Amino acid sequence: MPMPELFIQSPPQLGNQYNDDELLQGYLQRVLPPTMLRDVEPQLLAMGELAGGSLYAMQLADRLNEPRLTRWDAWGNRIDHVELTPLWQRCARLAVEYGLVALPYEQLHGANSRIHQFALVYLFHASSDVYTCPLAMSDGAARCLLESGNKVLIERAVNKLTSRDPDQAWTSGQWMTEATGGSDVGHSLTRAEPEGNRWRLFGKKWFTSAVNSQMALALARPEGNAQGGRGLALFYLETRDKAGRLNGIRIERLKEKLGTRKVPTAELWLEACHAQLVGEPKDGTRAIEPMLMITRVWNAVSAAAAMRRGVALARSYAQQRRAFGKRLNELPLHAETLATLEAEAQAAFLLTFEVVRLLGLKEANEIADGQRALLRLLTPIAKLTTAKQAVATLSEVIECFGGAGYVEDTGLPSLVRDTQVLPIWEGTTNVLALDALLRSDAQAGMRALYKRATGIASSVTDGSLQTVTATAMTILAQAQQWLIQTEDAQVLQIGARRWALSVGRAYELLLLVEQAQWDLLRRKESTAVGSAQRFAATF
């Protein structure tokens, strides 16, 4: 008896990820000078082709590879060598060649240099197996050293961190987390002992990502300093000497993690590790803040990029998969689900790049006082908002594939696992909500945000967008009033999370409106109009 005909489902396909991203192209056309866009677009096209082509194919083929730690060589020498995956080795060279860290320091496009950088990162991230992790810390370390004013360390490290030569470029670690806590680093137990012009560090770092980096910035407490965050100092260290021997560092193990398994995250001991003070022998948590601002922006870009990748794959699958006599994208409910996911991804992108734009203005010394307060407020809000969106969106994306989304060798489950780190890394949602509400000048930031929001609202001429705009403005007005009127510190803390997410999502809605109105004026149609309406329906 003949075997029944076998059905084999075609997998989702990706094209050039720049060509296929209408929002990215439209946003760049709106905010960049035409001459600059013509200059950078070939790089975006090339990265888009890599991200949807050879890098994505290599990522799928590299699925089972993970970094490996070899503690001893054949003759009994302690080497603690970490072997990276083939894709990470490929991404390391590409990142340097494309200037994914170098671009904002070269300042070829002034205040728009950050937009150029992060547009490339946005295309790169989802096919890199989170190689963006060491890039984020390297960017943050370069900025931190520059703002420290430490000329010796700037001359030693910044050129390497921002190099365009793959054989000379460095990456940096960020060694803060200990078993006592990640967010509350004031309880850190690592101690620092002076030794002439240098210091020796002693202690255990519980979670150090990208442990193979050539340098790291670490927090430690000089002997005799007070407890708490103010008693910590920020130190610079190089992980190996010229002979390749570890600098008083012993790698205990690589972490077994839910996701980001390609990132070599280690638990290690510092055993008389040579280090140098970055600034003063105190206030280390304040000294490392420039690094945290940068890494939080990278976190938001990674969230937006992951959402974009998930939606692209789900749309491709829906064009091929048939159910109930039709393709999935022809079924009204599924089509609406995809459109709602697209709206979330677009909103996350626009909020993220609003922060990117402000960061570029700050670094080019073109930022006004109000914009400075807005940047300080929006950075933690964008990080926490987009991270929560990404986890929810990628979970829904997996559901769009049914059982195939739950099968490891499709490569789809890693989308959810790798995204789950985003609400945790660089501060949990609660920690960042309190940071935005209590540690920034929140009232000045909200005044600047409301001024910017009012400018967007006043430019809206489309009737359907005006209705959506009114929804967002009402929420922002309520958030501003709550901030002004609430005096009880406990009430402020209890409400911080809801307040921050309300501000983040309402502002996202306005940024969708801004993009949609620009689209309508330019070409009389816009998918962003539908996105704004769908996004408004979630309030």
Side-chain angles (χ1 to χ4, degrees), residues 2 20 33 86 109 119 149 178 219 244 274 295 335 376 385 453 509:
D20 293 348
H109 302 291
E178 300 185 13
L219 292 177
H274 283 291
T295 53
R376 178 64 184 87
T385 303
L509 179 54

Side-chain angles (χ1 to χ4, degrees), residues 321-367:
R321 180 70 173 172
R322 299 185 70 87
F324 309 108
K326 293 184 177 181
R327 293 184 177 87
L328 290 182
N329 65 344
E330 296 172 334
L331 299 173
L333 180 56
H334 193 76
E336 182 62 21
T337 299
L338 291 174
T340 301
L341 295 176
E342 183 89 55
E344 291 285 339
Q346 290 182 351
F349 171 89
L350 291 169
L351 178 58
T352 295
F353 274 80
E354 178 78 346
V355 176
V356 169
R357 181 183 67 84
L358 291 168
L359 178 62
L361 288 170
K362 176 179 180 286
E363 293 178 345
N365 295 314
E366 296 178 16
I367 195 166

Side-chain angles (χ1 to χ4, degrees), residues 36-306:
M36 177 184 167
L37 184 56
R38 285 195 296 271
D39 182 41
V40 304
E41 199 161 42
Q43 299 167 48
L44 296 168
L45 283 163
M47 181 63 82
E49 185 62 33
L50 280 168
S54 61
L55 269 190
Y56 178 56
M58 188 176 184
Q59 183 183 47
L60 294 176
D62 204 32
R63 185 179 63 82
L64 296 178
N65 289 317
E66 293 187 8
R68 293 187 297 175
L69 170 62
T70 301
R71 292 187 180 86
W72 310 92
D73 70 10
W75 302 101
N77 297 299
R78 182 91 189 216
I79 57 173
D80 284 351
H81 172 71
V82 177
E83 182 180 350
L84 302 177
T85 63
L87 179 61
W88 259 53
Q89 294 177 50
R90 170 75 172 134
C91 285
R93 297 191 72 85
L94 284 172
V96 173
E97 290 166 356
Y98 275 85
L100 297 188
V101 174
L103 280 166
Y105 301 93
E106 295 168 344
Q107 282 288 300
L108 298 178
H109 302 291
N112 291 319
S113 296
R114 280 289 181 185
I115 294 176
H116 179 196
Q117 173 202 24
F118 279 120
L120 285 167
V121 172
Y122 172 74
L123 294 168
F124 173 78
H125 167 76
S127 294
S128 76
D129 278 345
V130 201
Y131 188 74
T132 42
C133 173
L135 297 180
M137 293 185 291
S138 303
D139 189 352
R143 177 53 53 193
C144 196
L145 291 175
L146 286 169
E147 294 198 15
S148 76
N150 188 319
K151 293 182 180 179
V152 172
L153 295 182
I154 290 170
E155 291 176 5
R156 172 66 180 164
V158 171
N159 284 341
K160 294 181 176 67
L161 292 168
T162 61
S163 174
R164 291 276 194 154
D165 181 351
D167 296 322
Q168 299 296 322
W170 282 7
T171 57
S172 176
Q174 174 187 313
W175 296 358
M176 297 170 57
T177 304
E178 300 185 13
T180 51
S183 298
D184 185 6
V185 296
H187 288 292
S188 296
L189 300 177
T190 301
R191 73 180 195 277
E193 296 181 3
E195 184 183 74
N197 294 327
R198 294 191 297 179
W199 294 71
R200 295 274 196 171
L201 306 186
F202 299 83
K204 185 177 184 179
K205 294 297 183 182
W206 188 79
F207 199 94
T208 59
S209 291
V211 70
N212 58 304
S213 292
Q214 291 85 356
M215 61 158 285
L217 295 182
L219 292 177
R221 193 180 312 279
E223 287 192 323
N225 275 22
Q227 295 301 304
R230 296 206 64 181
L232 294 172
L234 181 62
F235 291 90
Y236 163 94
L237 63 92
E238 294 178 15
T239 53
R240 294 181 184 266
D241 63 20
K242 292 180 180 179
R245 295 183 297 263
L246 281 168
N247 168 24
I249 297 167
R250 177 159 54 89
I251 300 177
E252 288 290 275
R253 58 174 172 165
L254 295 183
K255 293 291 195 180
E256 290 281 341
K257 296 169 292 178
L258 170 68
T260 65
R261 296 183 68 89
K262 306 304 180 80
V263 181
T265 304
E267 185 174 320
L268 54 81
W269 279 97
L270 302 178
E271 300 173 325
C273 173
H274 283 291
Q276 294 173 257
L277 266 176
V278 174
E280 297 297 318
K282 61 179 181 178
D283 291 332
T285 53
R286 180 174 296 177
I288 205 169
E289 282 183 0
M291 187 175 198
L292 298 181
M293 171 173 279
I294 298 297
T295 53
R296 286 169 179 173
V297 177
W298 277 81
N299 200 97
V301 173
S302 298

